[in-house]
Amino acid sequence: MLNKNIIIRNLDNNKKLPYDLLLLADPSRELVDEYLKQSYVFVADVNNKTVGVCVLYHINRNKAEIKNIAVDPQYQKQGIGNTLMKEVIKQAADKGYKELIIGTGNNGFSQLYMYQRLGFEMTEIIRNFFIDNYKEPIFENGLQCKHMIILTKDLTENV
Ligand code: ACO
């Protein structure tokens, strides 16, 4: 069920950030505020309402990271996350990045499925990342989120 009325736009620095969405993907406001300083923020609008967000973080001139991708729960499973990520992948390639990485928890099964469908490959595991960096334990799909799985997409191939 693809929603055809999605508008993806780059949010200007002075625009209000959709923290409700940003905190869906990353419960630490502290970490979110830290990476936003060095990031491009893209939002997905449907009927003039912002329902999705994606944060592209600059690591170096060759490498960027999608730090945050989230869709309003009422609008999930309609293709908005996929459309937003495809556009951000294209924008990252247009900005000259050669490699795009994304990290997610060991228990984020739908995210792991989605990222691999978009051409990301698992490249690294950061053990105990979510235990060491978050104050509260995080649970999803009945499992504790402990380790960060890093996936990488080569942007020098067709994107
Ligand atoms: N179970 C199985 N498959 C699913 C599920 C699910 N719960 N949700 C989505 N999918 C699949 C879809 O079938 C689709 O696959 P396809 O390409 O084969 O059609 C793909 O995943 C993407 O589906 P969309 O409808 O485009 O995704 P959606 O708009 O629902 O957004 C997102 C996905 C962003 C992960 C959303 O579920 C969300 O906001 N989750 C909460 C926040 C979150 O966990 N963000 C990621 C954290 S990691 C990070 O930010 C780097």
Side-chain angles (χ1 to χ4, degrees):
M1 185 193 3
L2 186 64
N3 196 319
K4 296 216 169 50
N5 302 314
I6 311 167
I7 293 172
I8 313 285
R9 61 191 172 90
N10 191 345
L11 209 63
D12 299 338
N13 286 342
N14 53 356
K15 288 276 160 59
K16 198 169 162 267
L17 291 158
Y19 274 104
D20 50 338
L21 295 173
L22 290 164
L23 296 173
L24 265 184
D26 189 338
S28 168
R29 171 90 188 225
E30 243 173 303
L31 290 183
V32 170
D33 281 335
E34 194 50 42
Y35 57 66
L36 282 174
K37 291 178 194 161
Q38 212 173 300
S39 299
Y40 303 93
V41 180
F42 296 88
V43 291
D45 293 342
V46 172
N47 299 330
N48 293 322
K49 179 177 156 57
T50 295
V51 299
V53 69
C54 188
V55 176
L56 181 68
Y57 174 77
H58 170 89
I59 297 175
N60 60 43
R61 67 192 181 90
N62 290 321
K63 191 169 175 178
E65 176 174 354
I66 292 182
K67 281 280 192 190
N68 193 306
I69 166 87
V71 172
D72 180 329
Q74 289 188 333
Y75 289 81
Q76 288 177 10
K77 298 185 191 165
Q78 296 176 35
I80 295 171
N82 245 337
T83 306
L84 185 52
M85 277 206 41
K86 278 184 186 157
E87 179 58 26
V88 172
I89 290 167
K90 194 175 156 297
Q91 293 276 340
D94 288 350
K95 289 180 192 302
Y97 294 114
K98 307 276 183 282
E99 195 178 63
L100 185 60
I101 65 170
I102 189 162
T104 191
N106 53 283
N107 55 352
F109 302 118
S110 58
Q111 294 88 326
L112 286 167
Y113 171 73
M114 177 180 174
Y115 305 155
Q116 289 175 92
R117 291 267 300 173
L118 286 163
F120 287 82
E121 299 276 352
M122 290 189 199
T123 45
E124 198 187 337
I125 299 177
I126 306 177
R127 289 185 57 81
N128 296 322
F129 177 88
F130 293 98
I131 294 174
D132 296 342
N133 289 283
Y134 289 78
K135 287 182 191 130
E136 303 291 332
I138 305 167
F139 282 86
E140 191 181 339
N141 297 314
L143 270 183
Q144 186 172 2
C145 181
K146 296 180 184 169
H147 316 299
M148 167 93 84
I149 315 286
I150 306 287
L151 299 97
T152 304
K153 185 171 171 71
D154 181 353
L155 299 180
T156 62
E157 293 173 351
N158 282 343
V159 291

